[in-house]
Amino acid sequence: MSKLGKKEFNREGLLNQGVVFFMNQGYHGTGLQEILDAVNVPKGSFYNYFSSKEEFGAAVIQHYIEPFISRLSTHLQQSDSDALGAIRRYFAELIVELEENKFKGGCLLGSLMGEIGSTSDICQQSLQSAIARYRDLLQSGLARAQQQGTVRTDKTPEEMADLLINTWQGALLRMQIEKSSAPVKQCCHDLLDDFFIR
Amino acid sequence: MSKLGKKEFNREGLLNQGVVFFMNQGYHGTGLQEILDAVNVPKGSFYNYFSSKEEFGAAVIQHYIEPFISRLSTHLQQSDSDALGAIRRYFAELIVELEENKFKGGCLLGSLMGEIGSTSDICQQSLQSAIARYRDLLQSGLARAQQQGTVRTDKTPEEMADLLINTWQGALLRMQIEKSSAPVKQCCHDLLDDFFIR
DNA sequence: TTATAAAAAACGACCGGTCGTATTTTTAAA
DNA sequence: TTTAAAAATACGACCGGTCGTTTTTTATAA
């Protein structure tokens, strides 16, 4: 493997394991050594990839949200005549995976917002932008659902997108400690099958 | 001050400071030394009060939720002919305080659910019971509001209490990183002034 | 040979927890 | 009521280990 290729490979590995460990143990509960061991990168090499743990954390956040954005985006494109259905199916898909994972990790964004959202400026900014991107996409989907007549129009798409994201985050936290998918299922039902309709 | 009195005094002080530090810096981000220094208790004495940091964390959780329960309970008693109004005023009061605190700390329960909800059995149980107690109280208030005809009756009080708690938690997380009370205000408006009404 | 990146070694600070001991409080016997 | 034994608490030094980061050395490529 080429030199530059390996460097990118290691960087990706660090980010992937960063997501896993930060989700399971939190930011302060995870040592760099654990992540480095998991991808066989020497400790001294870490700072060739990232300038600090804090900046690494910010990068992990961006790395984490990417698949969710592209998946939701795919759903919205696939069934562009039924945006509300696309959103419903997207979240239903997430719930299946959460159940498969036995409710171990919820959402990295939610966990890190609580843990370091107020203390690390760098991570706070990263969290802001990650959620903003996610919200904007959800908002555009809800706006189209309004045009298609499947979602009430007396609330702005932005307001509903924010409410859905916030409730989803809270439900994920509940899910973790209740070890049940009931909270997330109820979240989707209450909002997508009731409150957003009319 | 009597000796037994001092012991209880120190214990309370540790719990109070535990709430503050865990809220601001998280569980793993807070060392026992910080808390001990804040209440002038020697390191070696900590284990006369609590058997471990983990058990201390579980006690802090219970200590944290108590004032919220008693405050909501007071509101419900004060205006027992308007349970929905009591709930509205309770949350409005919380929002004022959050704004006074410049959105520094959100909710300890939400933060700890994400950080250690899946890793510490003891704290997980404490979080479960704390939230259950809070939910039961909110549920009873919503049930009375239903009897008073101010809240829709086609949803169970339990379902609405859960939804309100979860959305509130998610909104608190958003508030922290957006440094704005808009999320929590919107949470209360969307649910208490719209979704729960009929 | 020189410049550059990778990796090993080392850094001080701090972690949660334990230790022996000093002091106090409680218990029980006298 | 006084006294002696015992139990509980207070306390700071200290444990091995890990933290994130820096410095120094080694390997690689130009």
Side-chain angles (χ1 to χ4, degrees), chain A residues 30-32 43 47 52-53:
Chain A
T30 300
L32 292 180
K43 189 167 187 177
Y47 294 89
S52 70
K53 185 188 184 182

Side-chain angles (χ1 to χ4, degrees), chain A residues 47-137:
Chain A
Y47 294 89
N48 296 330
Y49 298 98
F50 304 96
S51 63
S52 70
K53 185 188 184 182
E54 201 179 356
E55 295 232 30
F56 174 65
V60 167
I61 289 166
Q62 294 299 320
H63 184 75
Y64 170 80
I65 198 63
E66 214 62 56
F68 290 92
I69 286 180
S70 64
R71 279 176 64 174
L72 175 55
S73 189
T74 298
H75 273 89
L76 286 172
Q77 284 174 320
Q78 276 177 356
S79 49
D80 68 342
S81 61
D82 179 19
L84 178 58
I87 294 173
R88 280 203 189 105
R89 284 186 285 276
Y90 165 73
F91 280 104
E93 207 175 279
L94 294 185
I95 291 176
V96 169
E97 292 175 8
L98 290 168
E99 288 173 338
E100 287 171 355
N101 290 346
K102 291 288 195 311
F103 323 116
K104 289 290 178 196
C107 175
L108 181 68
L109 303 190
S111 300
L112 292 191
M113 275 192 280
E115 187 182 358
I116 53 173
S118 303
T119 52
S120 163
D121 286 340
I122 298 174
C123 291
Q124 182 177 92
Q125 276 185 273
S126 187
L127 286 165
Q128 271 181 23
S129 87
I131 288 190
R133 286 205 295 152
Y134 193 50
R135 197 269 317 274
D136 290 346
L137 181 58

Side-chain angles (χ1 to χ4, degrees), chain B residues 27 32 46-47 50-57 122:
Chain B
Y27 177 83
L32 293 180
F46 175 82
Y47 294 89
F50 305 96
S51 63
S52 69
K53 185 187 184 183
E54 200 179 356
E55 295 232 30
F56 174 66
I122 298 174

Side-chain angles (χ1 to χ4, degrees), chain A residues 22-29 103-106 109-111 113-119 121 124 127-128 131-132 135 152 154-155 158-163 165-167 169-171 173-174 176-179 183 186-187 189-191 194-195 198, chain B residues 22-29 103-106 109-111 113-119 121 124 127-128 131-132 135 152 154-155 158-163 165-167 169-171 173-174 176-179 183 186-187 189-191 194-195 198:
Chain A
F22 287 163
M23 280 236 303
N24 289 336
Q25 308 175 182
Y27 177 83
H28 289 298
F103 323 116
K104 289 290 178 196
L109 303 190
S111 300
M113 275 192 280
E115 187 182 358
I116 53 173
S118 303
T119 52
D121 286 340
Q124 182 177 92
L127 286 165
Q128 271 181 23
I131 288 190
R135 197 269 317 274
R152 63 195 284 186
D154 63 333
K155 285 195 179 295
E158 181 181 2
E159 181 174 357
M160 288 186 288
D162 279 327
L163 182 66
I165 285 182
N166 294 346
T167 303
Q169 291 294 337
L173 294 179
R174 272 298 276 289
Q176 275 185 267
I177 67 157
E178 311 271 7
K179 298 184 182 302
Q186 190 200 316
C187 161
H189 174 70
D190 281 339
L191 296 187
D194 189 343
F195 191 45
R198 181 131 340 118
Chain B
F22 287 164
M23 281 236 306
N24 290 336
Q25 308 174 184
Y27 177 83
H28 289 297
F103 324 117
K104 289 288 179 197
L109 303 189
S111 300
M113 275 193 279
E115 186 181 357
I116 53 174
S118 303
T119 51
D121 287 340
Q124 181 176 93
L127 286 166
Q128 270 180 25
I131 288 190
R135 196 269 317 275
R152 64 195 283 187
D154 64 331
K155 286 195 178 295
E158 181 182 1
E159 181 174 356
M160 288 187 288
D162 279 328
L163 183 65
I165 285 182
N166 294 347
T167 303
Q169 291 295 337
L173 294 179
R174 271 300 276 288
Q176 276 186 266
I177 66 157
E178 312 270 7
K179 297 183 183 301
Q186 190 200 318
C187 161
H189 175 69
D190 281 339
L191 296 187
D194 188 343
F195 191 44
R198 170 106 345 143

Side-chain angles (χ1 to χ4, degrees), chain B residues 86-133:
Chain B
I87 295 173
R88 280 204 189 106
R89 284 185 285 275
Y90 165 74
F91 280 105
E93 207 174 280
L94 294 186
I95 291 176
V96 169
E97 292 175 9
L98 290 168
E99 288 173 339
E100 286 171 356
N101 291 345
K102 293 286 196 308
F103 324 117
K104 289 288 179 197
C107 176
L108 182 69
L109 303 189
S111 300
L112 292 191
M113 275 193 279
E115 186 181 357
I116 53 174
S118 303
T119 51
S120 163
D121 287 340
I122 298 174
C123 291
Q124 181 176 93
Q125 276 185 273
S126 186
L127 286 166
Q128 270 180 25
S129 87
I131 288 190
R133 288 205 293 151

